[in-house]
Amino acid sequence: DWSSDVCSSDLWYCSGLPGGEGRVSARAVSIANVGAEPATVEVSRLDAGALTDERDRIEVPPHTVLNREVGAAPVIVQPFSPDVVVEHAVVSDDDIALGPCATGTSPTWFFPMGSTVKGATQTLALLNPSSSDAVVDISLVTRDGTREPSKLQGVDVPRLSQADLIDIGAFARRDPVVATIVRARTGQV
């Protein structure tokens, strides 16, 4: 059972789109099987602090990448092979953002590169796939130094859910380089 207090490194945790999809036209996970044998994975969704009954079992041929639309909810991908790698992508009318899903939780996360210059959007999604609540403090490091806005201190991330999307640009406006540090007071994300 993946919902233990210590989340498994055999799982991939992919954040969702809090507050709905907005101008997003698609959200998908890419599941790569880099091995020489077929791999089976199971994709589960989190909704309102619980794992949904909706689970997709997918067979991934060897040396293949499969893309699956997953909607706005956070997903957990459980591969039944060590040769699977998972990333997620968000597509809008004029942009695409993609990156790897996480293979575990941590009390500390470092995101070294972001930007809030005109036309850029930097957001932070905090997913807590464990069975314990988490509270985090968020710091921003810019060319002017470290900022710890009060609204980014003591952010609740309930168990088996995702916090509301955080607009980093609201706290570091028009900055070409913004690093983000997330430190948990309790729990892990």
Side-chain angles (χ1 to χ4, degrees):
D1 181 10
W2 62 265
S3 63
S4 66
D5 284 332
V6 178
C7 291
S8 170
S9 63
D10 295 334
L11 301 173
W12 292 83
Y13 307 102
C14 308
S15 60
L17 300 172
E21 299 190 28
R23 65 184 195 99
V24 171
S25 58
R27 179 168 167 270
V29 291
S30 296
I31 304 165
N33 178 3
V34 298
E37 299 293 324
T40 302
V41 300
E42 187 170 271
V43 179
S44 305
R45 289 163 183 76
L46 286 175
D47 185 35
L51 183 66
T52 67
D53 291 333
E54 182 182 346
R55 295 180 185 189
D56 297 327
R57 198 170 187 88
I58 302 167
E59 294 294 324
V60 185
H63 309 291
T64 302
V65 177
L66 293 180
N67 296 307
R68 291 288 187 260
E69 286 199 29
V70 292
V75 297
I76 297 171
V77 179
Q78 180 177 10
F80 298 99
S81 164
D83 297 324
V84 172
V85 179
V86 182
E87 68 178 6
H88 57 135
V90 177
V91 180
S92 70
D93 295 335
D94 55 355
D95 284 323
I96 184 168
L98 51 101
C101 297
T103 57
T105 59
S106 177
T108 307
W109 287 95
F110 298 94
F111 302 98
M113 187 64 180
S115 178
T116 60
V117 296
K118 186 174 181 178
T121 303
Q122 182 180 348
T123 55
L124 178 65
L126 298 172
L127 174 62
N128 179 0
S130 75
S131 60
S132 301
D133 293 339
V135 176
V136 302
D137 295 326
I138 301 165
S139 303
L140 307 175
V141 181
T142 68
R143 60 186 171 193
D144 298 325
T146 301
R147 301 176 190 178
E148 295 179 341
S150 61
K151 288 186 178 183
L152 297 182
Q153 307 308 300
V155 176
D156 289 321
V157 189
R159 68 180 193 90
L160 299 175
S161 65
Q162 183 170 296
D164 289 336
L165 200 61
I166 297 169
D167 177 9
I168 299 300
F171 304 97
R173 293 189 47 80
R174 307 243 167 138
D175 208 308
V177 179
V178 181
T180 305
I181 303 169
V182 179
R183 289 188 177 93
R185 291 183 190 178
T186 62
Q188 298 188 73
V189 293

